[in-house]
Amino acid sequence: IVDGGHTIPIATEDFKNFYRMSNVQNVVVFDDNPTRKGRVDLDPVWKSQINNGTLVEFFGCYQGVFRGFSLGKFLFN
């Protein structure tokens, strides 16, 4: 479960750290994304992982206006 910093640089580093600790059997849960109104929009961090081929998204869901989570899996070559 990635529930760390709420800035783009810190969330990006969180993903790098989790990737290094993960394997093909792990599922990634990213807290506070998506949201309709958040402290910061973390969607670019999630989308960058998908766009660079590091992550595949299963789904994302809103939990009210300020909360949500996304579920995916890291991809390994």
Side-chain angles (χ1 to χ4, degrees), residues 1 13-14 37 39 46 48 53-55 60-62 64 68-69 72 75 77:
I1 297 173
E13 288 301 312
D14 287 342
K37 283 186 178 180
R39 290 170 278 184
W46 181 257
S48 72
T54 306
L55 181 79
C61 70
Y62 295 101
F69 70 92
L75 301 173
N77 295 332

Side-chain angles (χ1 to χ4, degrees), residues 4-5 9 17-18 27 29 33 35 40 54 56 59 61-62 66 68 71 73 77:
N17 291 329
F18 273 86
V27 173
V29 179
N33 184 74
T35 63
V40 68
T54 306
V56 62
F59 71 90
C61 70
Y62 295 101
F66 298 103
L71 183 70
K73 193 165 195 160
N77 295 332

